[in-house]
Structures are given as structure tokens and as C-alpha cells.
Amino acid sequence: LKPSNLLMGLGSKQSILHIIDFGLAVLYRVPGTNEHIPLTRNHGLTGTARYASINAHKGFQQSRRDDLESAAYLLLHLAAGGLPWQGVDQNHPKAHSLRVSHLKQTQDLFAFCRTQGLPCEFAAVIYYARGLIFTETPDYNHVRQLYRNVLDTHGFVNDGVFDWATMQTVQPCR
């Protein structure tokens, strides 16, 4: 998941978020048996290093925990305007991925949120996702509640209408 995979609807559908490009999506249950897919390794990094989970950097098969971590990085990026490992300059893609992975593992995300003036719930979701085991069903209600806390703490109403849909057109400077 990354910003370029998100599209907003138009007109009467302007409050609908569309997620596109499911090229890396896989079933997490084996068809027929409904068992969870097995944990495998040596996949190499798939996806964009900036938003990939730590387990993806390590070459592990991805599951629902990794989707939560990736989505939380995306939301943190949108809220903060960037991520601590953004702009890492390495000459080789493998070296870049290793550097980004190291920064993700060593960065105190609670401290990052505090310095950016952001709610700690962003970091809490990431650490929660990292703590899940491969086959574990995430507590999506818990994650939703953490994000709802962000809305409540800042006085936003979850009315399904995005801020830009109600903003007045601003005249350019002359």
C-alpha cells in the first residue's frame, strides 16, 4: 500500500476512497482447506521499501500483520508529511532496503510522533502489528478504536465527508 495506490472518487462519490493495484495481493488461506498459508522465507522485498513491513524487508511471506503495518506507515506518512527513513540515499537497491529496514527497527516511533505533534496511536498501531505472529488474526476492532481515538482527541467527526470536499475555493494570490 502506498499513496499512488489511493484514488478519491469524484462528484457524488468524492468521499469514497478507492484502492487500486492489487498486483502483490495473495490469498492468506489455502483454497479448499481454509488453513492459513505457511510461513516461508527468501521472498526478497516485494513492494515499496518506504511502506514495507519489517518482516517483508527480512524476506518473510507477508500476511495480515504486514498489511496493518504497511497501512499504518502510509497513514503516518500522510499525517507527518514524511517518514524518518524517507530520503535514504544508497547506491544499490539492496543497500537501500537494508538501510530503511534498519531505521524502521531502531526508530522510536512514539518519539517521532511526539516531535511531529502527532497522536501516539499511529505508533501504537505499528507496534501492535509488529507484535502479531504470522497466522494470528489481528484485532481489527482494537486498531479501528485506536484510529477513532485520533479523531475524538482532535475533535473531528467521522461523518464520511473529507475536509477538501467542504472547503471553499481559494483565489490565487495576485
Side-chain angles (χ1 to χ4, degrees), residues 56-98:
H57 281 281
K58 293 179 178 179
F60 288 107
Q61 172 74 39
Q62 296 179 55
S63 71
R64 296 168 288 175
R65 66 179 179 181
D66 304 287
D67 294 338
L68 278 178
E69 185 177 346
S70 178
Y73 290 144
L74 171 65
L75 293 173
L76 183 59
H77 178 181
L78 293 174
L83 293 167
W85 45 86
Q86 200 166 332
V88 169
D89 189 26
Q90 297 290 328
N91 295 333
H92 188 273
K94 178 93 171 151
H96 177 265
S97 177
L98 287 171

Side-chain angles (χ1 to χ4, degrees), residues 17-64:
L17 175 69
H18 300 271
I19 302 174
I20 62 168
D21 190 359
F22 290 89
L24 300 177
V26 296
L27 296 174
Y28 72 93
R29 300 242 183 240
V30 178
T33 66
N34 208 28
E35 293 179 19
H36 201 286
I37 59 173
L39 175 61
T40 56
R41 191 163 183 182
N42 298 325
H43 288 269
L45 178 65
T46 53
T48 305
R50 183 180 300 167
Y51 306 104
S53 69
I54 291 173
N55 287 311
H57 281 281
K58 293 179 178 179
F60 288 107
Q61 172 74 39
Q62 296 179 55
S63 71
R64 296 168 288 175

